[in-house]
Amino acid sequence: MKTFTLSSEGVLARYDYLSRLSPDRWAWEYARRNPDLRRDAEARSDDDVSEMKAPCADIRLLKPRNPQRLAHRWGLMFMPDPDLNGFEADAVWNKHVFPDQVEVNCSPRAPGESCDIWDSTVPICQITHITDLQAREFLLIRGKGCVVQVRCTGLSLLGMEPVRMNLTISDLDAFERKVKAQKAALALIGDGPDLTEPRWTKRTAMLRNGLIALDCLEAGLNRREIAEVIFGKDRVAEDWNGPSLKHSMRYLILKAEALRDGADALKAALD
């Protein structure tokens, strides 16, 4: 897939981290700008979710203490802090909203047997383990500016018995999408590309510019001023009176608002 660079001058540098986010993290970026979600999030409390450290490794253990009805309305296991971005927030999507999660099946580990997933991630990644009120288990694995949400099946990772994690695909109808998600997740532990310079695709550039437009609208800027932030004053001065740039800005803002506010906004951002 062709990638390219974008200007990171001035305030645009704040958005560079977006280039490495997975689709479900993009969904959170748009969702956290939704005023209705932010209103629901005002009811959240730090006491809603318990947090502990795992005794065996530097892993955070999270578990809701009470039903998370407001979060469930948004397809989330519990309500993250909407002031935290797509890399920082503990946004855990349910399977219906985010069906193409990476899956691992946990089986008994024989004495002396290793677990490649554990050995490859724990030393270099930040790992958060989440258990919901139905005892379903998930992982958020952070590294290289990326976040991977993992759904765990089989034996509990919190049990006394050592387990081995194996990548699995439970939905054969979505086989190709699942394989794509697994390959993307492996970038966390591979050599990977040089991350010193953000690289964008046509799709992620549109999503990034949409978030910039939403933030500019929130700050009271008009369409021309938003275009100046994204494309620079020189280009806007040259092209604004033509049909192309004005039309592009109108489309960008309408698309961004739809991703933020529409009934299928999260699914659209995930597609």
Side-chain angles (χ1 to χ4, degrees):
M1 183 179 298
K2 183 179 179 180
T3 62
F4 48 86
T5 60
L6 292 172
S7 171
S8 294
E9 294 182 2
V11 297
L12 296 179
R14 302 176 191 172
Y15 299 87
D16 285 351
Y17 74 94
L18 295 168
S19 67
R20 298 166 196 138
L21 296 185
S22 54
D24 58 305
R25 302 302 112 182
W26 279 106
W28 171 246
E29 288 288 353
Y30 277 90
R32 75 188 185 99
R33 288 166 168 80
N34 185 301
D36 293 332
L37 182 142
R38 298 189 71 87
R39 209 160 21 245
D40 285 347
E42 291 176 359
R44 67 182 289 278
S45 165
D46 291 339
D47 293 332
D48 290 345
V49 179
S50 69
E51 178 171 346
M52 302 173 58
K53 283 286 187 180
C56 59
D58 187 19
I59 297 175
R60 298 166 64 226
L61 305 178
L62 304 182
K63 184 176 182 179
R65 288 192 171 101
N66 45 49
Q68 300 288 306
R69 295 184 181 87
L70 289 178
H72 293 169
R73 286 176 49 189
W74 298 95
L76 293 158
M77 295 299 178
F78 54 87
M79 184 64 75
D81 183 347
D83 289 334
L84 297 180
N85 65 37
F87 183 79
E88 302 164 336
D90 294 317
V92 184
W93 301 101
N94 69 39
K95 186 179 179 181
H96 302 291
V97 172
F98 182 26
D100 295 334
Q101 301 176 33
V102 174
E103 298 178 68
V104 297
N105 181 264
C106 302
S107 57
R109 181 161 45 129
E113 185 180 21
S114 63
C115 175
D116 293 339
I117 295 176
W118 175 277
D119 294 341
S120 300
T121 57
V122 172
I124 63 173
C125 298
Q126 302 170 20
I127 300 178
T128 302
H129 176 283
I130 302 97
T131 307
D132 69 9
L133 293 179
Q134 287 72 44
R136 293 173 294 204
E137 297 180 40
F138 302 84
L139 298 172
L140 290 178
I141 305 176
R142 295 176 170 91
K144 294 186 177 180
C146 307
V147 185
V148 176
Q149 178 176 324
V150 179
R151 185 165 68 93
C152 306
T153 60
L155 296 178
S156 172
L157 287 168
L158 301 180
M160 297 298 293
E161 182 179 6
V163 300
R164 177 180 172 83
M165 293 179 281
N166 295 285
L167 289 171
T168 185
I169 295 177
S170 60
D171 183 4
L172 292 181
D173 291 337
F175 180 82
E176 291 186 2
R177 298 201 312 271
K178 296 279 190 177
V179 170
K180 181 179 179 181
Q182 290 182 356
K183 288 182 177 180
L186 291 174
L188 281 174
I189 58 176
D191 293 335
D194 181 7
L195 299 181
T196 58
E197 185 178 48
R199 305 289 301 182
W200 307 87
T201 65
K202 182 178 179 180
R203 175 180 172 277
T204 59
M206 184 277 292
L207 291 171
R208 171 252 202 188
N209 290 344
L211 292 176
I212 296 170
L214 291 177
D215 293 344
C216 289
L217 286 172
E218 183 70 16
L221 277 64
N222 60 37
R223 288 182 186 172
R224 177 168 180 146
E225 291 168 333
I226 295 171
E228 290 176 345
V229 172
I230 297 174
F231 302 111
K233 291 185 177 181
D234 290 344
R235 180 183 169 188
V236 173
E238 182 178 347
D239 296 345
W240 189 251
N241 290 326
S244 180
L245 188 55
K246 283 184 179 180
H247 175 78
S248 296
M249 287 305 304
R250 180 177 180 275
Y251 173 81
L252 176 68
I253 291 171
L254 289 174
K255 180 70 173 179
E257 290 176 333
L259 285 171
R260 181 194 62 190
D261 301 334
D264 295 324
L266 300 186
K267 289 184 179 180
L270 289 164
D271 287 340

